[in-house]
Amino acid sequence: MTTTIPEQPSPQGAPKGTALLEAKGVIMRFGGLTAVRDVSLTVGSGEIVGLIGPNGAGKTTFFNCLTGLYVPTEGTVSYRGTVLPPKPHLVTQAGIARTFQNIRLFANMTVLENVLVGRHTRTREGLLSALIRGPGYHRAEARSRERAMELLAFTGLAGKAEHLARNLPYGEQRKLEIARALASEPGLLLLDEPTAGMNPQETRATEELVFAIRDQGIAVLVIEHDMRFIFNLCDRVAVLVQGEKLVEGTSDVVQSDERVIAAYLGEPFEGAPADEAEERENDR
């Protein structure tokens, strides 16, 4: 796998340590169900932050609030100090890209074409230019193909550029999703269970890829159930339990927290979100 992306000016660049993503007091309700309860999280430039929790903890729902798929019932999500619009394509244009827990490739398009789709927010050629297909259109198309091939080389897929996406092995399909997300030139990449279904060798390759992405100045926020992967990878880890942020800190802090251990073992602990909700109900 190539370990560097060829230098490319990016409008999303930011000094290391600058706060990129700021989610404040995010609440997401579906009717009478509160899936995310007052969650706040910050991701700085150059950081890799993990988001973990048992099944049903609200991790993907929170991701969807960050990327415009859901409009939070309460709270705000800002990127580089600007509140994000509740539309996924505008969030992508602002500088946030994501992958999904379930692979969402264009199966009948080639590997290269899939990455070219990810370039659409960074091209300025409109419908008229595409219809006329003048010199400007051809120059833009050539630049997009060149950049797409750079990203395929970065993810180790350049040799399969003309293969149909559906014919790639599972691990390479995951890589292709990441390459397509990177094609939008993000400052922040959100990965939803990037190693799900992978063998140890594929997981290790994904870890190296995420480190390489971070080394290019792109911050990463990742959901994952593989604890070894998360704790090896992340600068900070936040734990969601029943929609609430239970604890946030370094890998050592999170791993040694008795509440986290109890939550994963399914054991009750004092001050658990369910206990607090029950107390509020009893007070009525």
Side-chain angles (χ1 to χ4, degrees):
M1 182 185 71
T2 305
T3 56
T4 58
I5 302 176
E7 291 186 9
Q8 173 90 356
S10 171
Q12 308 305 332
K16 185 175 178 60
T18 302
L20 290 180
L21 178 75
E22 292 184 277
K24 297 181 180 179
V26 172
I27 298 174
M28 189 69 219
R29 297 191 184 98
F30 300 96
L33 172 67
T34 302
V36 177
R37 302 171 181 267
D38 196 24
V39 175
S40 297
L41 185 69
T42 300
V43 180
S45 62
E47 270 194 310
I48 303 175
V49 177
L51 188 63
I52 66 173
N55 288 331
K59 304 181 297 296
T60 295
T61 298
F62 182 61
F63 252 40
N64 290 340
C65 291
L66 300 180
T67 55
L69 284 174
Y70 294 158
V71 180
T73 308
E74 297 180 36
T76 61
V77 179
S78 301
Y79 180 74
R80 301 185 74 186
T82 301
V83 175
L84 290 169
K87 294 187 181 299
H89 72 282
L90 295 179
V91 171
T92 302
Q93 191 171 4
I96 297 177
R98 72 168 292 178
T99 64
F100 290 86
Q101 182 177 349
N102 299 316
I103 294 174
R104 297 189 181 184
L105 296 172
F106 297 100
N108 292 320
M109 294 172 63
T110 67
V111 168
L112 176 60
E113 288 168 343
N114 268 272
V115 179
L116 287 172
V117 168
R119 291 288 303 166
H120 76 279
T121 59
R122 298 296 171 223
T123 56
R124 298 181 179 179
E125 300 302 310
L127 177 62
L128 181 61
S129 176
L131 291 173
I132 296 174
R133 292 180 175 266
Y137 170 84
H138 289 293
R139 284 194 297 270
E141 186 178 42
R143 286 194 299 269
S144 290
R145 289 181 66 88
E146 180 182 4
R147 182 58 179 156
M149 287 303 301
E150 289 174 351
L151 291 169
L152 289 178
F154 175 67
T155 53
L157 297 175
K160 297 188 176 182
E162 299 304 324
H163 292 212
L164 291 180
R166 68 184 182 193
N167 293 334
L168 292 182
Y170 179 82
E172 291 186 346
Q173 289 188 19
R174 286 283 183 188
K175 285 184 178 181
L176 178 54
E177 267 211 318
I178 292 174
R180 185 177 62 185
L182 291 173
S184 67
E185 306 293 347
L188 172 65
L189 177 64
L190 276 59
L191 302 175
D192 193 347
E193 298 198 26
T195 69
M198 288 187 177
N199 62 41
Q201 184 178 359
E202 291 170 331
T203 297
R204 177 58 184 167
T206 300
E207 181 180 316
E208 292 175 352
L209 177 59
V210 176
F211 277 132
I213 291 168
R214 189 272 311 276
D215 290 345
Q216 303 305 310
I218 300 170
V220 180
L221 177 61
V222 55
I223 293 174
E224 186 53 69
H225 283 292
D226 186 331
M227 294 298 98
R228 179 177 295 180
F229 174 80
I230 279 287
F231 292 137
N232 285 342
L233 187 73
C234 296
D235 301 302
R236 285 186 291 118
V237 178
V239 184
L240 290 189
V241 176
Q242 296 179 15
E244 292 188 24
K245 187 169 75 173
L246 183 65
V247 64
E248 178 181 347
T250 64
S251 295
D252 289 341
V253 167
V254 170
Q255 289 181 86
S256 62
D257 193 294
E258 293 182 358
R259 296 169 299 170
V260 175
I261 297 169
Y264 271 94
L265 292 176
E267 299 176 355
F269 56 91
E270 186 177 354
D275 294 340
E276 294 173 358
E278 185 175 339
E279 288 174 7
R280 290 194 294 267
E281 188 67 27
N282 291 336
D283 290 339
R284 291 181 179 177

